[in-house]
Amino acid sequence: KKDKESISVQKDEEKIMEVVSFKCPNCGGELVFDPNTQNYSCPYCNSEFSQEQIDTMQKGKQPSQESEAADSAKGQEQEEAAVYVCPNCGAEIVTDPTTAATECYYCQSPVVLSERVSGEYLPQEIIPFAIDRKKAAEIFLQNMKKKKFVPRGFFSGKQIEKMSGVYFPYWMVDWRGDAAMEAEATKVRTWRTGDTEYTETQFYRVYREGNVEFDDMPKIALQKANRKLVEGVQPYDRKAAKQFSMGYLSGFQAERRDLEKEAFGAEIARDTEQYAKRVLENDMRGYTTVRPVHQQVGNRQERWRYALVPVWVMTYKGKNGKIYYYTINGQNGKVCGELPVDYKKLSLVSALITGVVFLLGLAGGLLL
């Protein structure tokens, strides 16, 4: 358990996680995915490898180990914590149940917990990071220049070092259905003849029906995430999505979903009905007013895909103990955040403004 209690792991109850690290074939260093080149680079010998080369290297490893890891993962979804052994230094690290990729806290080697991204938890697609840490920091600092009352600690160098690239789990939904709407509409015409103004109102019964399609509706599949902030950096360009490969996770953190698609049934139904209503209403052009009186949606068809999307995340603990979150879309740089306020600075500026206004008023009175 976490929160205010310390983490304790009993040796006889530990689950040692199967991990994967991507080694450079030239020097043995850990390969990481580079958002700038969209390839894998070695920070030690500066070698670079394409996705095709990584796939070829992975085919040479024992597939039986991966399948055994996937099988053993089933039935272990409710573990409070799990342990993985760093393949680089041998340290045992405790993770929470949804962590899928991280780094060793002792030697900073990037590792992927293969059981968390295999079997039923294997994503179908991934949108790779297109913005690296340096660019994300530039975007963050550029936005901070516009914020006059944010504490300096929020954008200090030490704070920026805590910025993490995280892949968040999403369900992507393609929806197809039939929709029909009946509405009462009016057309109002006004004209003048001499000194008399005339108004003519015509009443209509309007009906529309058709096939409605919505693609790539995103639903974040993680309970513990700050949903408002993660969803606030939408949308993503789905055309950039790639077929999932664990190599994309190397050098970043990743979360495994803990919400299944059944949890979004009512939400999808509500959203599609609202979208369908908007589409049909937009087709009722040429009327002064339109008032829907009946709507029907049927023949629903859904296709769900499990995907990972990139987000740069930074957290900050304010003096009041509150945790503030700031997120940046790892593909296009869109930002969303909840910012702390430096009330001392705000009070000082308010006092200066009040003083200036008072002095100006006093000077104006003397001149009179």
Side-chain angles (χ1 to χ4, degrees):
K1 295 182 179 180
K2 294 186 177 179
D3 298 331
K4 296 183 179 179
E5 299 179 11
S6 61
I7 297 176
S8 61
V9 180
Q10 298 298 323
K11 286 292 181 180
D12 57 347
E13 295 179 357
E14 287 179 353
K15 175 170 176 52
I16 305 300
M17 301 292 292
E18 190 77 25
V19 301
V20 175
S21 63
F22 294 84
K23 298 289 186 179
C24 173
N26 295 331
C27 71
E30 289 79 17
L31 295 176
V32 295
F33 181 75
D34 187 344
N36 293 318
T37 64
Q38 295 291 295
N39 289 325
Y40 298 85
S41 62
C42 175
Y44 302 98
C45 67
N46 296 321
S47 299
E48 189 170 293
F49 303 91
S50 67
Q51 181 63 54
E52 291 73 19
Q53 291 173 305
I54 292 293
D55 291 340
T56 300
M57 286 188 284
Q58 286 299 107
K59 287 179 182 178
K61 296 183 179 181
Q62 300 92 337
S64 59
Q65 290 182 0
E66 294 185 3
S67 61
E68 289 173 5
D71 292 338
S72 63
K74 296 180 180 180
Q76 299 291 336
E77 301 171 23
Q78 304 301 322
E79 70 265 29
E80 289 296 323
V83 178
Y84 75 83
V85 177
C86 175
N88 190 51
C89 70
E92 292 187 359
I93 309 299
V94 178
T95 69
D96 63 35
T98 59
T99 300
T102 184
E103 65 178 21
C104 175
Y105 297 110
Y106 299 102
C107 68
Q108 284 73 54
S109 297
V111 293
V112 179
L113 281 65
S114 59
E115 297 183 12
R116 301 275 172 85
V117 284
S118 61
E120 62 180 309
Y121 293 104
L122 181 68
Q124 281 101 336
E125 60 186 44
I126 186 172
I127 297 178
F129 274 89
I131 294 176
D132 62 10
R133 175 184 291 276
K134 181 180 178 181
K135 181 62 177 177
E138 290 176 359
I139 293 172
F140 173 70
L141 290 174
Q142 188 65 32
N143 277 273
M144 288 303 102
K145 288 181 180 179
K146 307 172 186 177
K147 313 298 180 183
K148 304 301 182 183
F149 302 109
V150 174
R152 287 187 176 275
F154 184 71
F155 52 90
S156 66
K158 183 178 180 181
Q159 179 67 17
I160 292 176
E161 288 178 3
K162 299 178 182 178
M163 185 180 290
S164 301
V166 183
Y167 282 105
F168 281 93
Y170 269 78
W171 286 109
M172 301 295 183
V173 188
D174 296 336
W175 188 91
R176 304 289 183 271
D178 299 331
M181 176 183 288
E182 186 177 356
E184 295 176 348
T186 64
K187 285 185 178 180
V188 179
R189 184 169 69 96
T190 302
W191 71 96
R192 295 185 67 87
T193 302
D195 295 333
T196 306
E197 182 179 276
Y198 298 89
T199 299
E200 176 188 73
T201 303
Q202 296 178 329
F203 296 88
Y204 296 86
R205 200 78 170 179
V206 185
Y207 186 81
R208 294 287 188 275
E209 66 177 6
N211 299 321
V212 185
E213 300 181 358
F214 305 110
D215 291 329
D216 296 319
M217 292 191 295
K219 299 296 178 183
I220 185 170
L222 196 62
Q223 296 185 57
K224 71 178 182 180
N226 190 317
R227 300 176 66 88
K228 181 179 179 182
L229 292 179
V230 176
E231 292 174 348
V233 296
Q234 293 280 348
Y236 288 87
D237 180 5
R238 303 299 189 273
K239 294 179 181 178
K242 307 288 186 182
Q243 182 177 351
F244 177 76
S245 170
M246 282 194 290
Y248 288 116
L249 306 184
S250 184
F252 298 95
Q253 298 181 33
E255 295 286 347
R256 186 194 75 177
R257 74 173 191 265
D258 59 4
L259 285 176
E260 300 304 320
K261 58 186 179 181
E262 289 78 13
F264 301 97
E267 189 175 340
I268 289 293
R270 183 184 66 250
D271 289 349
T272 51
E273 287 181 6
Q274 291 176 349
Y275 297 157
K277 178 182 178 182
R278 194 177 308 159
V279 169
L280 295 174
E281 283 184 326
N282 289 340
D283 193 60
M284 296 179 179
R285 302 185 186 92
Y287 298 97
T288 306
T289 64
V290 175
R291 187 177 71 86
V293 294
H294 180 69
Q295 178 182 345
Q296 184 175 353
V297 177
N299 295 326
R300 304 169 187 265
Q301 298 180 21
E302 300 172 0
R303 184 170 76 93
W304 295 72
R305 304 186 315 283
Y306 180 37
L308 298 179
V309 302
V311 182
W312 286 101
V313 179
M314 189 165 63
T315 61
Y316 175 80
K317 187 174 183 179
K319 292 183 178 180
N320 57 358
K322 181 179 179 180
I323 302 297
Y324 295 88
Y325 296 85
Y326 196 88
T327 55
I328 302 174
N329 185 309
Q331 183 188 46
N332 58 35
K334 182 179 178 182
V335 301
C336 181
E338 184 180 6
L339 302 178
V341 177
D342 188 337
Y343 289 101
K344 288 185 178 180
K345 186 186 296 185
L346 182 61
S347 300
L348 178 60
V349 172
S350 299
L352 288 174
I353 293 174
T354 302
V356 170
V357 171
F358 174 76
L359 291 175
L360 290 174
L362 184 61
L366 291 174
L367 290 175
L368 292 174

